[in-house]
Structure formats: C-alpha cells, structure tokens
Amino acid sequence: MYLYFFVGLALYRGLITWKFYTAAGRQAWEAFVPFYNTYVLLQITERPKWWIFIYYVPVVDNVMAIILTYELLHMFNFRKITFAILSVVTLGLYLGYLNYTQPLNYGQRDDSWIKKNLGTTVNAILFAVVAATLIRSTTFESYTIPTGSMEESLYTGDFLFVSKMHYGVRLPITPFTVPLLHNELPLIGGKSYSDLVQLPYVRLPKFTEVQLNDPVVFNYPADSDHDPIDKKMNYVKRCVGTPGDSIKIVDGVLFINGVENQLPDRAKRQISYYVQLDQGFILNENGLEYLREKFEVDPSDIQPGLGTVQQSAQASKWRFTMTEENAQAMRESGFAKQMEPVILEYGNPSSFNPDESRIMEASARQMFMNNNIHEPIQYKWTIDNYGSVWIPQEGATIELNEKNLDFYYKAITVHEGNTLEQIDGKYVLNGEEASTYTFKQDYFWMMGDNRHNSLDSRFWGFVPETHLVGKPVFIWMSYDKYAPGAKKIRNERVFTTVNGSGERFSYLLPFGIIVVLWTLIGRYRRKKKAQA
C-alpha cells in the first residue's frame, strides 16, 4: 500500500515541478526520480545537500516540503508569501498551475530579501519545529503523568523525559500528522493526523531489552478511538511480566514464575484499606489536608467504604489508598478505630464491606479473558487473586483451543494481523486449517503500582512490542495540585532520575551552576574577542 503511495507521490511531484527543473538547466526526468529529485532540488535552491537526510524523516518531511516549496518559488521570483501559501493549501496544485502557465525565469538566491520580507522569525519557527520533531521522534520526549495509577512511585503531576532509544527508536507509522502533537488538536478538538497512509512498523536497534520492573511508556492497546499504533493514547505502567513469564496474584501478592516479585527501591506499591475513623474526625477540607500530609493519602483516591458517601460519613467508614508504611503509621497513631487491607477474593466478601460481591462480579466481567462472553463467568478472578497467565514470546507455539483463545485471540488477530475462525469444530487460520499458532513478536504484562486504582493488563491484556514507546528516565518537574502556594512544586522530585536506588538526589543545583558558569565564560570570551 505504502509503496504504491510513494510511487504515486513521486509521479505527482514530477508532474507539478518538471518545468521548474528544465528552466534551471536540469533534465525533466530528474523531477520524477524518488530521492534523486530531492537531491537535485537542493542544488536548484542552493540549500545544503545534507537536508536530504531530514527531508525523508516521517512527519519532519511535511515541514521540509513547505520549506523547499518556498525556496523553489523564491529562486524563480515568485517571492510573495501568498504563492507559497496557495501552493501548500492546495497540496501542490497551485505550484502545478505555475509550472504549466507561467514563464519560469531561474534567478539567484537573495538572502537579504528573505530576511527583509519574510523575517527571521518564520525561518526560526520552521526550523525549530523540524529540530524539535527530530529530537522527540528519535531521542527524548516529555510526558506528564495524568493519573494516580503509579502512585507512590510516579506521582500525578510528574513531568518526565522518556528515552525513545532504550528499547529502540520506533520510526513514525503515521506520516500525515501535525508536528509536535500526539493525537488530538488543542482547543478545537478532533484528530491531529490522517490515517489514510500507514508506514510499515520499523524499530531501530535497541540499547537494552525491557527489564522486569522497568517503568515503561507504551501505546494503550485497548484505545479504539485511535487506530494507528503510534497515535493510541500513551500510558505509563511498570513491566511486571516479560515474554515467556507466567504471572499469578495471590491475596494481592504478585508472583512471577512462582517467585514473589520484589520491587526496586524507588517503587512503592499502594493498595486500598478499609478504615473506620474515630467518630470525631470529619473529612472536610482540613481533614483531607491532614490525611495527605500525615499519611500521603491522595484525596482523589478516597472512596466510601460502605454504601453511599452519606452513609459512610455517618459510620465513618472509608476506603483509603496507601503504601504499607503509611498504613502501619496510621495503625500506630490510633487515628483509625478499625483497619484492614482490601483483598478481593471472588465469592468471599469482607465483613467490613458486604457489598464487595457485586463489585467483584462487575470487575471480573471486565477482565480481558472473560471479555463479557462467558455466562456464567468462567474465570472468577479478581485484581487481588488472578491467574496464572502465560505471556506470549516471539517464536513460541501454542495449541489452538478454546482456553488459549480466551487469552490470545486478540494477540493473534489484532496485534499480528491474522484471521482466525472456528468452523465445524476446527480452527481456520488465514484460510487454512491449523491446530497450533507461533507468535511473531514479544508481549509484556504491565501493572500500576497503585494496585487497586490502575487500569492495566489485568483488564485489557498484553502489550505487544510494537506498542512500546520508551523508558522514563528523568523527572524535570513535579506539580502537586492539592498543595498550597509554593508547596505545589515538589522540590525533592525536580531534576531527579526515575530509576536508581537509595534516596533521590536533585540535579537542579548542579545544572544551575553549570548554566551560570557557561554564561559567564561565554560573556568573557565575547569581551576578549571585542578587545582584540
């Protein structure tokens, strides 16, 4: 599909520009040859030949096409900005009109005219967009943590730099997109891309494999609003299962291949606790602030522990989300009259909250292996008692049977592009009878550290390797919307690394010192040069 589009685009480009080429002393056929026509165009417009390397970077090529259209028109004295605008908004048709109807007189480049009439601002903006798009596509990109699913490891309001290089740079799949935007247009809404053309999936060599317990940014596999892989919503979770692993959760404890998973130093698992408060404590604004300051309870994670909010307020029964350390501190403080961890086991509700049975059934129906097709529910699992589930690995072969298809049908069909049907009790794979299937790529199991408040692989299944975006490596800003005044900035997290062991160290002061020294040295050199 893309090959046909690429050839058609080269033909179209030649048809609307070949007379410009001949007027510049080149041969007409040179306008039709892919890659070579760009090389010749750079010579005609007197632009650096190395531009050809960035001209063919997806997404960046859209901006470069605008720049070179303007440059070409400039060389033939069509120098009013309206010529370039009309050529761009008509997708080249106006350029074709000039090509066939106007006398074409090849001139010389006049940088002083460009500077005077176009100004340096437009050029600076265009090339800043090119540079920024290249950087965010191939090195690092900034992301914001929008939800609390990774609390207390990554906070809501953390601004991250994510390395695209660790797991291999994935080249853009959707070429026709507004630069520097992900999938939605700001303010006006709507998609920021066109999915009419899709490039093949290509990933450059990786620095490292995804390691167990790595925090990972990936495209949300269950995002049905955005079909292209690279335009699906960005999620960040912790990889707690790598290809070939088997995962199981027993009473809230995660086991990988039969061994309890141990999170790294800076990862803090949170779960929910049923808490009966002292009757004198009121969850007003001051009460919420006390919980946040004393026990790091996020106000957005506070839920009624039983029945409605009004009933819970009267009985002082609530459901808080905390780390084990903060829960122990709450017990020891005497703040809570009664307290127990939430551990959901299907058919065995807590005496603290008899309403759990309804909650557990609704949750089980959302598990990806049930998929709302089994009546009664076949896999009576909960987020705290779950599995075992085997994670697909490239080259591994499974038997095609009903149980396996409950878990791997989407991977086989949606993520690996096959057709699979059951006809007369037999399985038909891509039109041929089959009894086994061999996976074409690796898959991963992602979970949030905030285990009771995370929409993750327990609900929507495996993350294919094609959906991997990058590894969070650095927190450059952290903003707490609940804190007052200057405390909104979490200074202890600003300019810190995501991974590592021990206490966090902020690199803000060393960075500031380097910037000041660099500035002073630059001024000193300019002063010495002026005196020479």
Side-chain angles (χ1 to χ4, degrees):
M1 170 66 181
Y2 178 70
L3 180 61
Y4 292 125
F5 171 78
F6 187 76
V7 172
L9 185 62
L11 178 62
Y12 174 70
R13 181 176 166 184
L15 289 172
I16 63 175
T17 60
W18 68 271
K19 285 195 173 184
F20 284 96
Y21 278 68
T22 57
R26 309 296 302 204
Q27 299 297 315
W29 62 267
E30 293 179 311
F32 293 85
V33 181
F35 300 107
Y36 182 68
N37 55 6
T38 303
Y39 177 79
V40 173
L41 180 60
L42 292 172
Q43 292 179 315
I44 293 173
T45 57
E46 300 178 8
R47 304 313 293 154
K49 295 181 179 61
W50 60 264
W51 278 19
I52 194 172
F53 295 108
I54 59 175
Y55 184 88
Y56 285 100
V57 175
V59 182
V60 176
D61 59 350
N62 300 328
V63 184
M64 291 301 298
I66 295 173
I67 293 172
L68 283 180
T69 297
Y70 174 81
E71 297 282 357
L72 179 65
L73 291 168
H74 175 82
M75 297 300 293
F76 286 86
N77 292 309
F78 299 108
R79 295 183 174 179
K80 291 183 178 180
I81 191 65
T82 51
F83 288 111
I85 293 174
L86 287 172
S87 297
V88 170
V89 299
T90 61
L91 301 179
L93 291 176
Y94 187 74
L95 189 64
Y97 166 77
L98 297 176
N99 182 72
Y100 288 104
T101 65
Q102 301 299 308
L104 303 177
N105 299 310
Y106 183 57
Q108 291 185 331
R109 181 178 183 80
D110 189 347
D111 289 323
S112 62
W113 191 96
I114 294 176
K115 185 175 182 180
K116 178 181 178 182
N117 292 275
L118 190 59
T120 57
T121 303
V122 174
N123 276 333
I125 291 175
L126 287 173
F127 282 101
V129 170
V130 170
T133 304
L134 278 172
I135 291 171
R136 75 193 296 266
S137 298
T138 60
T139 57
F140 295 92
E141 186 171 358
S142 180
Y143 289 89
T144 306
I145 301 293
T147 68
S149 68
M150 285 293 287
E151 303 267 0
E152 291 249 319
S153 302
L154 294 173
Y155 289 178
T156 304
D158 278 352
F159 292 78
L160 309 175
F161 279 135
V162 174
S163 168
K164 301 286 187 73
M165 301 173 287
H166 273 75
Y167 307 138
V169 173
R170 184 186 63 192
L171 298 184
I173 297 172
T174 310
F176 296 135
T177 182
V178 179
L180 306 181
L181 295 181
H182 180 48
N183 55 24
E184 298 291 337
L185 294 170
L187 302 180
I188 62 174
K191 295 180 179 180
S192 62
Y193 61 91
S194 169
D195 56 6
L196 292 177
V197 176
Q198 296 286 284
L199 303 181
Y201 166 75
V202 176
R203 190 177 291 275
L204 300 182
K206 63 189 74 172
F207 288 173
T208 180
E209 300 288 345
V210 177
Q211 303 295 320
L212 186 66
N213 291 321
D214 271 357
V216 178
V217 173
F218 56 93
N219 296 117
Y220 176 37
D223 180 4
S224 58
D225 292 331
H226 306 93
D227 290 332
I229 292 173
D230 59 339
K231 293 303 176 183
K232 293 182 181 295
M233 289 186 293
N234 292 318
Y235 267 33
V236 58
K237 307 285 182 187
R238 190 173 303 280
C239 176
V240 295
T242 54
D245 288 341
S246 291
I247 67 104
K248 188 173 185 178
I249 306 173
V250 180
D251 291 339
V253 179
L254 174 65
F255 292 87
I256 303 171
N257 301 323
V259 179
E260 182 179 345
N261 185 38
Q262 300 295 326
L263 293 176
D265 283 356
R266 294 184 183 175
K268 304 294 183 182
R269 186 177 75 109
Q270 282 201 144
I271 64 170
S272 294
Y273 292 82
Y274 289 130
V275 180
Q276 183 170 358
L277 302 176
D278 184 278
Q279 291 288 346
F281 188 85
I282 300 175
L283 275 183
N284 54 20
E285 185 175 342
N286 291 333
L288 292 174
E289 179 63 20
Y290 176 82
L291 287 175
R292 197 184 69 82
E293 289 288 341
K294 187 73 174 178
F295 307 112
E296 298 184 22
V297 176
D298 188 330
S300 64
D301 281 340
I302 295 176
Q303 304 171 29
L306 175 63
T308 66
V309 175
Q310 289 76 17
Q311 291 169 341
S312 292
Q314 293 167 7
S316 297
K317 292 183 178 181
W318 296 88
R319 178 169 162 165
F320 295 163
T321 300
M322 294 176 286
T323 63
E324 185 177 349
E325 292 81 1
N326 285 322
Q328 184 62 27
M330 184 177 285
R331 289 190 189 97
E332 295 173 353
S333 70
F335 174 79
K337 291 176 60 178
Q338 182 184 352
M339 186 174 185
E340 66 177 52
V342 176
I343 298 178
L344 300 177
E345 182 180 1
Y346 198 92
N348 185 23
S350 165
S351 60
F352 201 106
N353 186 2
D355 201 34
E356 272 183 2
S357 294
R358 179 187 58 80
I359 297 172
M360 285 186 290
E361 181 173 349
S363 178
R365 291 184 183 278
Q366 297 174 26
M367 302 296 180
F368 81 98
M369 77 294 297
N370 283 323
N371 200 28
N372 294 318
I373 61 174
H374 292 296
E375 290 293 347
I377 297 173
Q378 183 166 339
Y379 300 93
K380 297 180 179 180
W381 297 354
T382 71
I383 55 178
D384 293 317
N385 285 279
Y386 192 101
S388 163
V389 178
W390 176 79
I391 304 169
Q393 183 177 27
E394 182 182 3
T397 300
I398 61 169
E399 180 184 346
L400 293 178
N401 56 46
E402 185 175 349
K403 182 177 180 181
N404 276 341
L405 292 191
D406 285 342
F407 291 87
Y408 308 115
Y409 179 80
K410 184 176 180 180
I412 294 171
T413 57
V414 176
H415 298 317
E416 303 205 353
N418 301 288
T419 60
L420 180 60
E421 299 175 286
Q422 188 175 13
I423 301 176
D424 297 331
K426 298 180 179 179
Y427 292 100
V428 179
L429 180 67
N430 298 325
E432 298 182 3
E433 184 178 338
S435 60
T436 62
Y437 180 78
T438 301
F439 289 99
K440 302 174 186 177
Q441 63 175 315
D442 287 331
Y443 292 80
F444 303 86
W445 190 267
M446 306 291 184
M447 286 174 59
D449 292 347
N450 192 348
R451 293 294 165 79
H452 286 138
N453 294 284
S454 175
L455 181 64
D456 53 35
S457 287
R458 292 170 291 184
F459 296 95
W460 38 255
F462 313 105
V463 175
E465 185 175 23
T466 54
H467 287 55
L468 298 180
V469 174
K471 180 177 182 178
V473 294
F474 197 72
I475 302 171
W476 62 272
M477 175 56 72
S478 186
Y479 180 82
D480 183 357
K481 66 179 181 180
Y482 294 111
K487 291 185 178 181
K488 288 186 180 295
I489 305 300
R490 302 185 184 105
N491 293 316
E492 73 280 2
R493 298 181 66 82
V494 175
F495 268 62
T496 62
T497 56
V498 172
N499 304 289
S501 57
E503 294 295 324
R504 292 184 179 276
F505 175 78
S506 176
Y507 292 89
L508 182 58
L509 181 59
F511 176 77
I513 292 173
I514 291 172
V515 170
V516 171
L517 289 176
W518 184 269
T519 302
L520 292 176
I521 291 172
R523 289 181 178 179
Y524 174 76
R525 286 180 174 177
R526 288 192 294 272
K527 184 177 180 180
K528 293 289 289 183
K529 185 176 181 180
Q531 292 175 349

